[in-house]
Amino acid sequence: MTLKILDPTIAADHAESTMAKRIADLDGKVLGLLSNSKVNGDHLLELVRARLASRYRIERVVTMTKSSASRVADAAMLDALARACDVVVTAIGD
Amino acid sequence: MCASSAKLTATGYAVADWAEGVEAYFERGWTDGLPVVPATEEAVRRFLAAAGREPGDVVITEPVRRRTITAEKVAINAVLAGCLAEYMPVILAALDAMGDPAFTLHGAITSTGGSATLVVVNGPIRQRLGFNSSTNVFGPGWRANATVGRAIRLITLNCLGAQPGVLDKSTQGHPGKYSYCIAESEEENPWEPLHVERGFARTASTVTVFAAEAPHNVLSHYGETADAILVALGDTMASLGSFSPGQSFVVLAPEHVKILARDGWTKSRIKAELYARARRTRADLKRGGKLAGAVEPDDEDRWVHRGNGPDDIHVVVAGGGAGGHSAFIPSWSRYRNSLAVTREVR
């Protein structure tokens, strides 16, 4: 006599998604920076910005900060970044 | 009482007997460190039937890590926790509350802050299911309190990925992370109970969830006046360790409640008084590493209160009849990241 026991775990949902088109370089492009709002996240992003700016002639930088590191970036913020930027870098700092 | 015939989707594993089943859950990392009750299909169907749910019903979605928890997985974890099937509606209501954006579920269960989900039960379901609101209210001894709180933790571990060191990065955590469920002693409460204050009928049964630190004991035995109790409570709430703009729970012991009521204090006046007392200067907050930066001259005269106002202090009554021990329960987070949420048990 055997017993069948059930698995209590679940995995993350994997919705279908596709990668955005890659771009060859950042010359003349708009760079977005999205901070998670934790202390030092902004420093990390500034280091990334400075490094990229030394290699490319970046047209403009758009910086945004999530209202809380514990929440997803809201749709309006993501839409605004998507509209304004050619590429976005996000960082988690603490 | 017959469960739906809908198919269960959880993977099953064959084991030789009950004891091997208990060990199998340990081996797979599916426990909180204590033995669990092996979840069989028969038990899971019984739990679903008691809740009137289909296996595939979505109970909660967590957007950050993209998790969707079905009634079947809730039932499996409730069986593991040692619940009775009749507890299912309480667990489902608590999870529904945890899914409210105001609760900030992902942050609350993963942060270094190490909070646990405090569950406060109100209404007639307390007696019907045997929830303790009296002696040793935060301690062991009552199946409903112990296993409902444990079921919430097991779901957090098994369904939300908040395993220690994986997504749960609690620096220290606290013992309430095993189980943290109390009922309010409405019978000892001369004011409105929590759920009525939060807009529900007195005859409704509710759960309120709060991402919380451990209870901080507020011992006040010798004053025997409302003022003495409020001085001790206010001082505890103003302590630097847990100071934040977040909400608070104050769990008043019946002995303290009798003195406060005798001296003419209403709940709203108690809240206003505690809000007024739970404050520190910016200078103190900076000296204690609670705010960044050097102390400026005017920081000595600039006061910061705990919370945004008196209504950020939730006052409930619970505990044994003897003893001047109330509790202050601070919110999780250095900010104001999670608020208490109440749902009716249906």
Side-chain angles (χ1 to χ4, degrees):
Chain A
M1 174 71 183
T2 59
L3 193 68
K4 190 171 86 171
I5 61 168
L6 298 178
D7 179 348
T9 65
I10 60 171
D13 304 333
H14 292 290
E16 285 282 321
S17 57
T18 51
M19 298 281 276
K21 193 178 170 201
R22 305 291 96 178
I23 55 175
D25 63 52
L26 297 179
D27 287 338
K29 300 292 195 300
V30 177
L31 170 66
L33 300 175
L34 175 61
S35 168
N36 73 339
S37 80
K38 284 246 182 179
V39 177
N40 295 329
D42 50 348
H43 294 299
L44 181 57
L45 282 174
E46 171 52 25
L47 288 170
V48 171
R49 186 209 60 77
R51 180 69 61 90
L52 292 173
S54 71
R55 283 196 213 165
Y56 304 103
R57 287 175 291 100
I58 293 169
E59 167 76 16
R60 192 158 56 89
V61 176
V62 175
T63 301
M64 290 196 182
T65 302
K66 291 198 328 181
S67 62
S68 163
S70 301
R71 297 195 176 100
V72 290
D74 63 55
M77 184 175 279
L78 292 176
D79 287 345
L81 284 168
R83 271 197 307 274
C85 307
D86 296 293
V87 60
V88 177
V89 178
T90 187
I92 184 162
D94 199 357
Chain B
M1 177 67 196
C2 188
S4 155
S5 59
K7 194 169 160 33
L8 301 185
T9 58
T11 306
Y13 296 89
V15 293
D17 56 25
W18 195 260
E20 193 177 306
V22 172
E23 291 306 316
Y25 281 102
F26 274 119
E27 286 161 13
R28 289 176 165 82
W30 292 343
T31 88
D32 52 8
L34 294 168
V36 293
V37 176
T40 62
E41 182 165 335
E42 178 280 323
V44 171
R45 286 201 177 281
R46 196 157 38 79
F47 275 50
L48 287 167
R53 297 293 187 109
E54 295 292 324
D57 287 354
V58 173
V59 175
I60 181 176
T61 55
E62 194 292 296
V64 179
R65 302 302 293 198
R66 296 182 181 174
R67 305 282 177 135
T68 300
I69 304 178
T70 61
E72 177 180 343
K73 292 294 180 175
V74 174
I76 294 172
N77 281 283
V79 174
L80 299 188
C83 291
L84 292 175
E86 291 74 16
Y87 302 166
M88 276 289 284
V90 180
I91 299 166
L92 291 166
L95 290 169
D96 188 40
M98 290 166 73
D100 188 307
F103 189 80
T104 318
L105 178 57
H106 174 71
I109 63 175
T110 58
S111 166
T112 52
S115 75
T117 304
L118 172 67
V119 178
V120 182
V121 181
N122 277 95
I125 206 162
R126 295 167 305 137
Q127 287 96 345
R128 199 158 74 241
L129 298 182
F131 282 95
N132 178 35
S133 63
S134 182
T135 305
N136 202 33
V137 70
F138 290 107
W142 279 264
R143 185 174 184 176
N145 301 56
T147 64
V148 166
R150 189 187 187 201
I152 297 296
R153 173 54 46 190
L154 287 171
I155 289 162
T156 305
L157 289 163
N158 289 329
C159 298
L160 293 170
Q163 289 159 327
V166 184
L167 287 183
D168 181 353
K169 301 288 189 182
S170 295
T171 308
Q172 295 191 320
H174 67 78
K177 292 184 76 168
Y178 282 100
S179 181
Y180 204 9
C181 176
I182 67 171
E184 177 162 20
S185 180
E186 295 170 27
E187 296 70 22
E188 302 277 356
N189 185 343
W191 313 294
E192 284 186 334
L194 180 69
H195 66 310
V196 175
E197 200 183 345
R198 292 174 70 77
F200 295 86
R202 189 175 282 266
T203 52
S205 292
T206 66
V207 291
T208 300
V209 296
F210 184 55
E213 292 186 6
H216 300 204
N217 186 18
V218 183
L219 184 163
S220 177
H221 271 121
Y222 302 119
E224 296 188 357
T225 64
D227 287 345
I229 294 163
L230 293 164
V231 164
L233 278 166
D235 186 73
T236 310
M237 293 176 68
S239 70
L240 278 181
S242 297
F243 200 89
S244 80
Q247 295 186 325
S248 307
F249 265 73
V250 171
V251 181
L252 292 174
E255 195 169 299
H256 284 164
V257 169
K258 285 190 179 70
I259 295 167
L260 289 159
R262 180 202 67 199
D263 289 358
W265 284 76
T266 61
K267 201 197 257 194
S268 60
R269 198 172 147 218
I270 291 168
K271 289 178 172 195
E273 179 68 18
L274 292 178
Y275 180 72
R277 289 180 176 275
R279 64 174 194 161
R280 300 297 289 243
T281 63
R282 281 179 61 84
D284 273 353
L285 296 175
K286 286 183 172 177
R287 280 192 284 265
K290 308 290 291 187
L291 284 179
V295 176
E296 308 288 341
D298 67 345
D299 284 341
E300 300 289 358
D301 302 315
R302 292 172 66 189
W303 291 88
V304 180
H305 289 258
R306 176 176 177 82
N308 282 356
D311 284 341
D312 267 350
I313 302 170
H314 304 292
V315 175
V316 300
V317 178
H325 300 275
S326 291
F328 160 54
I329 302 178
S331 54
W332 155 66
S333 148
R334 76 189 89 163
Y335 308 113
R336 188 185 164 77
N337 266 333
S338 182
L339 304 177
V341 179
T342 304
R343 289 283 190 274
E344 186 165 357
V345 179
R346 295 181 190 279

